[in-house]
Amino acid sequence: MKYRSTRGQVTGQSFESVVLEGLAADGGLYIPEHLPTLPSDWQTQWANLSFAELATELISLFVGDDVSRSDVSALVCKSYSTFSTSEVTPLVSLDGERKTYILELFHGPTFAFKDVALQFLGNLFEFFLERRNRNGGSHKITVVGATSGDTGSAAIYGLRGKKNVEVFILHPEGRVSPIQEAQMTTVLDDNVHNVSVPGTFDDCQDIVKQLFGRPDFKSEHSLGAINSINWARILAQITYYFYSYFTLLRQGGGLPVFVVPSGNFGDVLAGYYAKELGLPVRKLVIATNANDILDRFLKSGKYEKDSGVLATPSPAMDILVSSNFERFLWYLARDYEAGGNADEAGNVIGRWMEQLKTTGSFAVNQAALTAARQTFWSGRCSDQDTYATIAKYHSREPSYLLDPHTAVGVHVAETLREEIDGLGADTICLSTAHPAKFSEAVLKAVNENGGHLDFGSILPPAFIGLLEMPRRCLTCDNSADAVAKLIVDQLSK
């Protein structure tokens, strides 16, 4: 198994190199040079596997000779032993009459879906570095990432205390929830460095990309990526699409439509790869908040930046440009712009990304848009509808408390109910975070819509007293130069 960059200038890379490198030298994102073939009997042989066993089967298809099957199994078991349920990502019924289910992805140590990937990625980093250092080497990695809230805490919990790893996480000042900020900044391990930057998540993400685009700096400090630009993040998330499919079948359900709250496109991209591997998915639904660049693309074929990021009750989705969308665009470029030529597809992606940078937009042709619509539907959810959806399901019997990101997905699923029923499909809405992580939004939704919520009754024990714990956080100007200097200063201590 080899990997190539979406920009076309880097090919033939191993799994180990793409994991440790993160972003390709040409600025592109790594994708497999070809997708593996599932075993012919996967639907029967995998049907009753545990989450860890299923992850081992899927991940082993993508690692080539870089990681043995026994090592994949050990890494997977270690990663998911930190989850509070043996199912790892349980599937629960939200509305039996309408065949709607919630895929709970928040049972990891930081109560967010990103734990599924980042617990694995943290162990994978450590595995590769320890192997490189067995014969007296001194390989280290400096992980640099940006977060709109959940990536940061999940990355920190996945990397804290890891040998030969330093981690720097940039977050936008005042634009993450109090719980999210506390989860990050109360981790006091010596190898963890939180950095608060004035601006937006997109500003933080741009700084990270600029640092990775400086070859000398990247090489000198062995930069590694934990954002979903890292292929291993996407790979690890494919598992829960297969696992929920088998769970649904065991519960008497049919073929699924997956509805995915979407910001940076990584979560739903994993669903796309699951479908391309052969998982019988009827549709993937991209659910956006008011920052709706993906919804607008599916409706018009034009990928266009808005004037700025809007603050919403679902802050992890408050993103102007969805970085992972470039991976999906590569397949559109190859099949509908480049005549099936993989190298030319990289040139097309390069032109599109340059247009986006210089003019704020680019457009795909009608054939490409039609192909995208065959896989994806999309919808948008306003702030008002987010609050109303939380209140609606909390007041029902049985009651279910949605976090604001999950509420976006559930609302969009409701707006597409007729279309989903027309497919004869069941609906699986991905729940990306525990509601306690967004207490202000959840309390506002319930208490201002005629309900009452005793928040202490749903607060995980790990959150009790979290806001009062000692913290450590650095502040930095909003520029790549300033962040680079901060990293150098911290590493020299």
Side-chain angles (χ1 to χ4, degrees):
M1 173 62 69
K2 297 297 182 183
Y3 292 82
R4 66 181 301 126
S5 166
T6 52
R7 304 284 174 94
Q9 303 304 306
V10 184
T11 60
Q13 299 298 296
S14 68
F15 178 72
E16 179 176 350
S17 65
V18 304
V19 169
L20 293 177
E21 188 175 352
L23 190 70
D26 62 0
L29 307 183
Y30 283 115
I31 55 175
E33 292 195 344
H34 68 274
L35 291 182
T37 301
L38 298 184
S40 59
D41 58 355
W42 71 269
Q43 287 185 287
T44 54
Q45 293 301 307
W46 293 0
N48 295 301
L49 296 182
S50 69
F51 188 94
E53 290 169 338
L54 189 54
T56 299
E57 295 291 341
L58 286 162
I59 292 170
S60 294
L61 296 172
F62 287 88
V63 301
D65 297 327
D66 286 8
V67 190
S68 70
R69 184 181 179 85
S70 61
D71 283 333
V72 171
S73 178
L75 286 164
V76 163
C77 290
K78 180 180 180 181
S79 300
Y80 301 127
S81 67
T82 62
F83 282 62
S84 62
T85 171
S86 60
E87 293 179 275
V88 182
T89 59
L91 186 70
V92 301
S93 177
L94 182 67
D95 187 337
E97 181 180 340
R98 291 191 176 274
K99 300 188 297 182
T100 301
Y101 298 83
I102 296 291
L103 180 58
E104 294 184 342
L105 304 177
F106 51 74
H107 291 279
T110 72
F111 302 88
F113 81 98
K114 295 176 182 181
D115 288 322
V116 177
L118 285 165
Q119 285 293 301
F120 174 70
L121 181 56
N123 288 321
L124 196 57
F125 278 147
E126 188 174 53
F127 171 82
F128 284 141
L129 291 170
E130 286 186 342
R131 187 169 69 182
R132 289 186 173 193
N133 291 333
R134 279 176 191 162
N135 296 319
S138 58
H139 292 280
K140 297 182 179 181
I141 190 170
T142 303
V143 173
V144 182
T147 185
S148 55
D150 284 335
T151 292
S153 55
I156 287 167
Y157 276 67
L159 295 171
R160 63 186 303 181
K162 296 293 185 187
K163 298 175 183 176
N164 304 307
V165 178
E166 296 286 330
V167 55
F168 292 82
I169 299 296
L170 281 59
H171 70 266
E173 182 181 347
R175 285 179 175 258
V176 299
S177 78
I179 287 289
Q180 288 174 317
E181 182 175 346
Q183 280 187 305
M184 292 187 288
T185 58
T186 57
V187 176
L188 305 180
D189 296 62
D190 290 340
N191 72 321
V192 173
H193 312 272
N194 283 285
V195 184
S196 175
V197 177
T200 67
F201 167 74
D202 287 87
D203 294 327
C204 295
Q205 185 164 248
D206 285 344
I207 289 171
V208 172
K209 288 181 177 179
Q210 288 179 53
L211 295 180
F212 275 86
R214 299 179 176 184
D216 291 343
F217 185 83
K218 181 180 180 182
S219 175
E220 180 180 357
H221 301 292
S222 301
L223 295 194
I226 49 80
N227 284 89
S228 52
I229 59 175
N230 194 308
W231 166 250
R233 285 272 308 269
I234 308 302
L235 174 58
Q237 290 170 214
I238 294 172
T239 300
Y240 51 69
Y241 285 92
F242 278 84
Y243 188 74
S244 61
Y245 163 75
F246 287 124
T247 304
L248 182 63
L249 293 186
R250 289 195 294 270
Q251 294 182 8
L255 296 182
V257 166
F258 286 99
V259 184
V260 188
S262 300
N264 225 13
F265 197 73
D267 204 2
V268 75
L269 180 68
Y272 168 76
Y273 279 111
K275 188 175 188 296
E276 291 299 296
L277 286 170
L279 189 69
V281 177
R282 299 306 302 269
K283 288 288 181 182
L284 295 165
V285 179
I286 299 167
T288 75
N289 60 21
N291 299 288
D292 59 353
I293 188 171
L294 295 170
D295 181 46
R296 287 184 283 113
F297 172 84
L298 265 294
K299 288 180 168 53
S300 69
K302 188 175 185 180
Y303 193 71
E304 183 175 26
K305 293 181 185 180
D306 257 340
S307 56
V309 178
L310 301 173
T312 75
S314 46
M317 297 157 60
D318 292 349
I319 294 172
L320 192 63
V321 174
S322 302
S323 290
N324 258 296
F325 197 51
E326 182 172 329
R327 285 188 165 110
F328 174 65
L329 286 169
W330 185 89
Y331 295 99
L332 294 184
R334 181 194 63 183
D335 295 342
Y336 301 100
E337 299 274 358
N341 186 300
D343 292 330
E344 178 56 26
N347 295 331
V348 173
I349 290 294
R351 290 197 298 270
W352 283 347
M353 294 301 111
E354 183 61 26
Q355 289 177 37
L356 183 65
K357 180 179 178 180
T358 57
T359 70
S361 70
F362 65 86
V364 302
N365 63 35
Q366 187 58 47
L369 178 59
T370 299
R373 289 171 173 170
Q374 289 174 351
T375 297
F376 295 104
W377 287 342
S378 67
R380 180 184 187 275
C381 180
S382 68
D383 292 359
Q384 181 179 356
D385 286 330
T386 301
Y387 290 127
T389 302
I390 294 171
K392 173 183 176 181
Y393 284 92
H394 177 260
S395 65
R396 282 190 172 188
E397 289 294 339
S399 177
Y400 192 93
L401 189 60
L402 303 166
D403 95 282
H405 305 80
T406 309
V408 168
V410 170
H411 172 77
V412 170
E414 290 177 343
T415 66
L416 293 172
R417 175 55 52 200
E418 185 174 341
E419 290 87 343
I420 294 173
D421 287 346
L423 295 175
D426 289 359
T427 303
I428 296 179
C429 295
L430 273 61
S431 182
T432 56
H434 192 287
K437 296 196 76 169
F438 302 94
S439 55
E440 292 180 1
V442 171
L443 287 167
K444 175 182 173 67
V446 173
N447 295 337
E448 293 185 8
N449 284 277
H452 174 71
L453 175 63
D454 175 12
F455 207 74
S457 65
I458 60 103
L459 199 65
F463 287 179
I464 296 174
L466 182 65
L467 297 177
E468 288 75 46
M469 291 176 64
R471 305 186 186 199
R472 186 176 73 239
C473 184
L474 305 167
T475 58
C476 188
D477 291 340
N478 186 343
S479 79
D481 287 343
V483 173
K485 182 178 184 304
L486 181 147
I487 290 173
V488 172
D489 291 345
Q490 291 298 310
L491 293 178
S492 66
K493 291 183 178 180

